[in-house]
Amino acid sequence: MSPIQPIFSLFTALSSYAANPNSAQTSSSTAIEIVVPPAANALTISPSLVSLSIEQDRWTDWSGTMSGNHFFYNVMQNLNNLTGSPPGIRIGANSEDRTNFNKAVQYAQDIFPEPNPTTPYPEATNITVGDSYYTTAKYLLPDTEVIWGVNFGQNNLTAAILEATSIMQAFRGSEISSLGISLKYLEIGNEPDLYMNNGLRPKNYNVGQYVTEWTNFANTIFGNIRLNETPTRFLAGSFAGSSSNLEGFSPQAIYKLGISDSPAGEYIAAFSEHHYQGTFCSGSAGVLSDLMDKANIRGNLSQYVPDIQATNDQGFDYILGETNSYSCHGAPGVSNTAGAAIWALDYMLYAATLGTKQVYFHDGIGFKYNLVQPVTLTRSILDGSPLSSPLPPHVQPQYYAGIVAAEAIGSYGNTQISELDIDNAQVSGYVFYDDHDEKRLVLINHTPFFKADETAGTQRPVVNVQISFPKKCGTRNIIVKMLEIQHSDDTSGLTWGGQTYETSDGLIRGSVSASTVASNEYLGIPASQAALVTFNCS
């Protein structure tokens, strides 16, 4: 027996979901003892772990122009209320490298291709912005930290300087700075490791050329905007994949090539990589059960461990600066479903245990994988067909994953996280410490349960969990809140602790539903649901 005392034991078995999920388990239960890792080995988790990457072409739809977008503000405030820190906001992505600056333009002028069934809401092919485009950041939550990208793909240094100058002017202005809203990082280009494939550079473009070009752009921008007089720093990389699958382009390579040795390079503070669990670029169907799979999530993220370590060794933060389920805006019937919320919750918490500081979920107007649709839509996000009536702003299922994670992190200010070693292919779990004192658990059941299963009369699997409390907790001090999902393929109807965020203004509605669990009682976690267990120990 390990000298580390277990906080609880799990007794798991698959059973039908009884009306009383805390009912006693049968004698056939399998006992799994889970030892909570020592807090000394836990990693600090950022209160802004849950962050958003916004497609740049329609940024002002998110922010508002003459006035703020109240729906978007509210749904960000919900997260801020739970952690005490607003989500980070990154504005960039593909359209970052299609953006040019014209001082005469008010806000932005975009040119869009025609929508099609695979891409119902395509990105703009050309974006021209003026000063007022950047000043709309004043409508973000106070104290929001922003990443903004400038055009590197077109290899036009003048355009990048003009954009960076206007961005810095906006954030130096009192309308933004008085609210504590800050430009945390300036990003130069989006996914330069793909430039040789998308026509932005020659086919033989390599990482050495990238470092030379990036250094030239960064040094020139650095001098023009006097970045050294501000708290803003450069974000390096923004690569499309890890060092394991893109030969040459890696954090290890650019550090070895001296990207941080120039005057501007000395102001690099973080490295960003992008990741999607799958791709829908060719229109091939995604599989929801594959997305939700515990082993797939770990296999996808573990490839980044060497990159995280190499980045931390440089003294830089590592972030997933753009990520989501399926690239090219998501897969219909997968990325927009409740099962994607199970994926997102486990994905971001597992990433945090590997040393990822922030996870920026990519969103764009009408994208299938969004956490939030911030404006009224008139076309289906699934196939681009006209909607019978306009669809007002709303949250999508993955937003609930952000809410659960934010509540688990909490607002203490010095919280750590460790993954629980659960020997069960369908169950994952995490322990959260405040000042190295265990306080909360998140338990996730990855098992899919579809509408068709219910129609066929299939009994819903449940993992029954028995919790043995720490002695200091007494017998009735364990509080449980559930992320309730009826079916993995639902696109709405989720609740968190009995409450809903599916409201016209994005604010929470309903009464809180939570339960206490005592010794020898069982906590039933149905397939495709998750629980937050809070220890109110003295």
Side-chain angles (χ1 to χ4, degrees), residues 321-452:
E322 179 185 321
T323 192
N324 218 304
S325 56
Y326 283 77
S327 62
C328 295
H329 308 176
V334 177
S335 301
N336 60 311
T337 67
I342 294 296
W343 165 79
L345 179 59
D346 188 58
Y347 179 87
M348 73 176 95
L349 295 182
Y350 185 68
T353 68
L354 300 179
T356 303
K357 184 171 183 181
Q358 289 172 286
V359 178
Y360 286 80
F361 288 97
H362 193 54
D363 281 27
I365 299 300
F367 293 2
K368 304 172 192 73
Y369 52 41
N370 278 14
L371 277 68
V372 180
Q373 297 290 358
V375 296
T376 298
L377 303 178
T378 58
R379 298 191 301 274
S380 166
I381 67 170
L382 303 181
D383 59 11
S385 59
L387 296 174
S388 58
S389 59
L391 185 60
H394 59 283
V395 301
Q396 296 194 162
Q398 281 189 189
Y399 180 75
Y400 284 90
I403 290 292
V404 177
E407 189 162 336
I409 295 166
S411 58
Y412 185 77
N414 183 26
T415 298
Q416 299 84 38
I417 184 173
S418 285
E419 185 182 15
L420 296 167
D421 184 12
I422 299 176
D423 187 19
N424 185 306
Q426 298 298 335
V427 181
S428 60
Y430 303 87
V431 58
F432 295 80
Y433 310 87
D434 291 344
D435 267 342
H436 304 286
D437 187 15
E438 62 274 0
K439 292 293 185 181
R440 293 170 297 281
L441 304 175
V442 168
L443 301 171
I444 305 166
N445 188 340
H446 293 252
T447 309
F449 185 73
F450 301 111
K451 296 173 187 174

Side-chain angles (χ1 to χ4, degrees), residues 72-93:
F72 182 56
Y73 188 95
N74 287 345
V75 295
M76 294 298 98
Q77 184 64 56
N78 292 333
L79 294 164
N80 181 66
N81 289 343
L82 295 170
T83 65
S85 296
I89 300 293
R90 178 241 187 180
I91 305 146

Side-chain angles (χ1 to χ4, degrees), residues 57 98 110-116 119-126 379:
D57 55 0
R98 303 167 188 164
D110 296 345
I111 299 174
F112 289 94
E114 288 297 313
N116 60 70
T119 312
Y121 288 84
E123 299 155 12
T125 54
N126 184 279
R379 298 191 301 274

Side-chain angles (χ1 to χ4, degrees), residues 91-171:
I91 305 146
N94 286 338
S95 51
E96 170 182 336
D97 282 327
R98 303 167 188 164
T99 300
N100 286 284
F101 183 84
N102 184 335
K103 203 170 186 66
V105 170
Q106 185 177 31
Y107 304 116
Q109 295 175 350
D110 296 345
I111 299 174
F112 289 94
E114 288 297 313
N116 60 70
T118 301
T119 312
Y121 288 84
E123 299 155 12
T125 54
N126 184 279
I127 306 101
T128 305
V129 303
D131 289 324
S132 55
Y133 173 81
Y134 298 114
T135 60
T136 58
K138 66 187 177 184
Y139 297 125
L140 290 169
L141 293 183
D143 300 321
T144 297
E145 295 181 332
V146 177
I147 301 171
W148 218 309
V150 299
N151 190 335
F152 183 57
Q154 294 177 349
N155 209 8
N156 184 336
L157 180 56
T158 300
I161 292 170
L162 290 173
E163 291 169 29
T165 300
S166 184
I167 292 169
M168 189 58 71
Q169 176 182 293
F171 281 86

